[in-house]
Amino acid sequence: MSAGYYGRPIVKPPAWTDLIPTYFFAGGLAGTAATLAFAERTARNDRLARTMIFGAATGCAVSAFCLIADLKKPERFINMLRVVKPTSPMSVGVYIFSAFSGSVFIAAGCEVTGIARPAGRFFGAIAGLIGPVMSVYTAVLVGDTVMPAWHLPRKTLPGLFAATSAASAGAWGLLFASARDNGSARRLALVGGTAMVAILQALHHEIGPTQAEAYSKGEAGALARTARVLNVGGIVCAALGKNSNVISKVAGALLLAGGLTERFAVYRAGCASAKDPKYVLDSQA
Amino acid sequence: MSDFIDLTSAAAESATYGADERDRMGFFTDTTLCIGCKACEVACKEWNQLPSDGYEFTGESYDNTKELSGNTWRHVAFVEQMEPERDTGRWLMESDVCKHCTHAGCLDVCPTGAIIRTEFGTVVIQDDICNGCGYCVVACPFGVIGEKQEDHTMGKCTLCYDRLKVGEQPACAKACPTESIQYGVVDELRERAENRLQKIQEKFASAQLYLNDPNDGVGGGGSLFLLLDKPQVYGLPPNPIVPTKDLPQRWRTAGIAAAALFGAVVLCAVSRR
Ligand code: SF4
Ligand code: SF4
């Protein structure tokens, strides 16, 4: 006989749609993009700062759509704001996201219209400071579940989310800024992309070979392998394309695709670790 | 349990009702008495007006209900432990239900406050508040919660909150013909379960109590069980732990990762040539 009770899941896999891993990607990108925008503004590289704040705004718009559209009752999104619950990373996250995206939209609005620039700078700075939290809190959100593949990598999952966000934000800069201005984005893409590949290894190590199968087998495994090819390709192009607009853009596109694919790989790993009861049984043996 | 999680225990939450607080009520499901009649499943569906799950033949013994879900709040599990020639062996039956945990993951994570601890110490989803975010689904160590497809909110056992309020017992306990499902004050049920175990263990050495220990990973259940085999045999987690238990440490680690990310961005920005 199969494990447990007729091989049925012990815990329920998420009732979420693919909008949720899409949100992890877009929200992560937005967070780190806002921080890079802030840093570039401070360093007076206004052109890259502008590209990055638009990246953050795009990420926020996609995020807001995903978050609301994924609710089974989207018209009740507002109920999220009737309580503040420190025990719920989603409640905490709604306030992080609201403060962050509000600041980003004001900063981007000032940038486009050219009005109230000092206010735009101010809110750009706020967004830049909240940005890293925006990029990483989703690791706490999924960690605070009973999906073994998300719950068990206590040390490495936040790092993986941070690295993926850095790679995606850097990739945005490579894709949309010219080779003349994109130096910081290139460095961020290289650091983030390399860290992503390395931390993923550490994650497998942290949870051990049995639990790591959730990440390496099935659809999650196929996505992870695809992501790896895209990311390594993106890292190589980013390293080589210093003076080339075309190669920079290829690097950006590869790393964006790699980051998105990696988000889906992590998401599917969590689902897989719920659907097969062996993961829960192993973690509770 | 950490101090953090103690703030969210059944006792701490029920105490917020002040003078309206009542004894903590719960179930003791004695599976040695269950005959698998599914009267509890039917009574639950009828009282709570839950739609059917359709007619699917699973081939898994007499269990065509499969699992607890948004519309199924009692589920009778059937385990056939037969020798190949089927003349010896036994048939285990267990009516499963929400555990009304002392430390309830679903309640901790619900971002709208739709899930509440009632004055009876039970855990209830208010379906006029739930926005269907689905976080509770993945925070329950027992896979209890699912979507109610017709109204797009999440559903689970309420321990018949409406019946309790008027002094009635839950529909399933009332319908159970063998008193396999017993309703009462949790402290008394715990004692009753201990006594029953003593007796049963003389005959069945493998008998064990489940969720009767206030020091387990969910602080014990408001629903406790007497099982004849290991929990996993019935599809129950052997060592459930409320996911919020190490939440403060998770935030700390995330804080370090966020700080490192900020540092990395700044370094990338200042290291221009
Ligand atoms: S068993 Fe699951 S749904 Fe029931 S109270 Fe515990 S965590 Fe909530
Ligand atoms: S789905 Fe409803 S009950 Fe569950 S956590 Fe979200 S708002 Fe709360």
Side-chain angles (χ1 to χ4, degrees):
Chain A
M1 210 169 85
S2 34
Y5 182 72
Y6 300 104
R8 291 196 175 277
I10 290 175
V11 295
K12 289 248 187 317
W16 294 328
T17 68
D18 286 350
L19 290 171
I20 294 300
T22 309
Y23 165 64
F24 295 160
F25 169 75
L29 185 158
T32 308
T35 306
L36 184 57
F38 169 52
E40 290 303 293
R41 183 73 74 203
T42 312
R44 301 196 189 283
N45 184 3
D46 284 336
R47 279 193 297 261
L48 184 57
R50 190 179 163 91
T51 305
M52 294 318 295
I53 200 68
F54 290 159
T58 309
C60 285
V62 173
S63 297
F65 170 79
C66 290
L67 278 181
I68 295 175
D70 184 72
L71 297 176
K72 304 279 182 269
K73 273 205 184 292
E75 68 276 18
R76 287 192 188 167
F77 171 78
I78 199 72
N79 285 3
M80 295 275 193
L81 304 176
R82 67 188 276 284
V83 287
V84 182
K85 273 180 80 172
T87 59
S88 170
M90 193 182 284
S91 175
V92 174
V94 161
Y95 294 100
I96 293 173
F97 178 69
S98 303
F100 174 75
S101 59
S103 305
V104 166
F105 287 138
I106 294 174
C110 295
E111 182 72 43
V112 179
T113 58
I115 51 175
R117 284 206 183 261
R121 299 245 155 116
F122 174 76
F123 282 103
I126 301 278
L129 293 172
I130 307 176
V133 181
M134 175 67 208
S135 289
V136 175
Y137 94 84
T138 42
V140 179
L141 191 152
V142 298
D144 189 24
T145 68
V146 292
M147 309 298 99
W150 296 341
H151 188 79
L152 297 175
R154 294 179 164 81
K155 297 200 189 102
T156 44
L157 199 64
L160 181 65
F161 276 41
T164 313
S165 301
S168 300
W172 179 279
L174 287 175
L175 191 56
F176 293 108
S178 73
R180 209 166 17 124
D181 306 317
N182 70 12
S184 311
R186 179 186 315 279
R187 287 186 284 276
L188 187 62
L190 284 169
V191 171
T194 315
M196 183 178 12
V197 175
I199 295 175
L200 207 52
Q201 282 302 315
L203 185 149
H204 283 238
H205 188 76
E206 181 184 6
I207 63 180
T210 309
Q211 295 291 339
E213 283 178 17
Y215 282 90
S216 58
K217 287 197 167 166
E219 203 191 337
L223 284 166
R225 287 186 289 278
T226 309
R228 205 186 154 88
V229 171
L230 292 166
N231 287 326
V232 171
I235 292 169
V236 170
C237 290
L240 297 178
K242 246 187 174 174
N243 304 310
S244 158
N245 270 324
V246 176
I247 301 179
S248 290
K249 287 190 197 311
V250 171
L254 283 172
L255 281 169
L256 277 183
L260 181 64
T261 312
E262 183 52 43
R263 298 287 185 176
F264 272 80
V266 171
Y267 183 76
R268 291 283 188 272
C271 299
S273 71
K275 283 179 192 148
D276 187 336
K278 82 170 183 189
Y279 295 104
V280 171
L281 291 174
D282 173 75
S283 72
Q284 296 185 8
Chain B
M1 286 285 154
S2 64
D3 300 346
F4 164 75
I5 206 73
D6 279 344
L7 297 171
T8 63
S9 71
E13 286 160 349
S14 306
T16 60
Y17 285 88
D20 289 330
E21 185 189 358
R22 309 282 294 277
D23 281 338
R24 184 177 181 193
M25 306 308 283
F27 290 124
F28 168 42
T29 303
D30 180 348
T31 67
T32 64
L33 297 176
C34 181
I35 54 170
C37 70
K38 302 188 192 177
C40 52
E41 286 190 12
V42 176
C44 178
K45 290 256 181 204
E46 289 202 332
W47 180 262
N48 294 299
Q49 304 191 323
L50 300 171
S52 93
D53 307 300
Y55 296 92
E56 197 196 323
F57 182 69
T58 61
E60 294 163 7
S61 189
Y62 274 51
D63 183 2
N64 295 311
T65 308
K66 297 179 276 194
E67 59 181 7
L68 292 173
S69 67
N71 284 324
T72 301
W73 302 350
R74 271 276 176 192
H75 162 230
V76 182
F78 291 77
V79 182
E80 295 181 29
Q81 296 182 328
M82 305 289 173
E83 302 295 316
E85 56 281 1
R86 295 182 79 88
D87 54 358
T88 53
R90 56 182 187 170
W91 211 347
L92 308 181
M93 294 147 204
E94 177 245 0
S95 181
D96 197 13
V97 69
C98 166
K99 317 304 181 283
H100 295 278
C101 308
T102 303
H103 299 294
C106 64
L107 192 161
D108 284 349
V109 304
C110 174
T112 62
I115 304 189
I116 56 161
R117 180 82 61 183
T118 72
E119 65 271 39
F120 299 99
T122 55
V123 178
V124 170
I125 304 178
Q126 307 172 93
D127 57 11
D128 54 343
I129 305 232
C130 170
N131 65 13
C133 76
Y135 203 6
C136 53
V137 173
V138 283
C140 169
F142 306 91
V144 165
I145 302 183
E147 185 189 350
K148 289 190 282 177
Q149 266 82 17
E150 11 30 270
D151 72 350
H152 308 296
T153 60
M154 299 300 160
K156 75 166 192 74
C157 162
T158 69
L159 215 116
C160 283
Y161 189 27
D162 48 353
R163 295 171 63 97
L164 263 56
K165 279 206 173 249
V166 297
E168 259 295 337
Q169 60 175 316
C172 56
K174 180 128 191 167
C176 178
T178 63
E179 292 188 338
S180 172
I181 301 174
Q182 300 169 29
Y183 162 76
V185 178
V186 171
D187 285 337
E188 290 167 15
L189 293 178
R190 283 196 175 137
E191 221 180 286
R192 199 186 299 174
E194 289 291 349
N195 293 337
R196 177 73 179 158
L197 178 70
Q198 300 291 318
K199 240 187 231 159
I200 285 291
Q201 260 178 340
E202 290 167 14
K203 252 187 157 170
F204 300 97
S206 60
Q208 53 191 280
L209 295 181
Y210 185 62
L211 301 184
N212 68 316
D213 178 3
N215 297 315
D216 69 18
V218 296
S223 310
L224 21 150
F225 299 79
L226 172 59
L227 306 176
L228 283 174
D229 206 332
K230 294 196 231 40
Q232 54 266 45
V233 169
Y234 300 89
L236 297 166
N239 189 12
I241 297 173
V242 62
T244 22
K245 190 177 174 201
D246 50 5
L247 189 54
Q249 291 93 298
R250 279 182 202 281
W251 279 117
R252 229 167 286 145
T253 316
I256 294 169
L261 178 57
F262 190 81
V265 172
V266 170
L267 278 181
C268 290
V270 299
S271 69
R272 71 186 72 248
R273 267 138 279 161

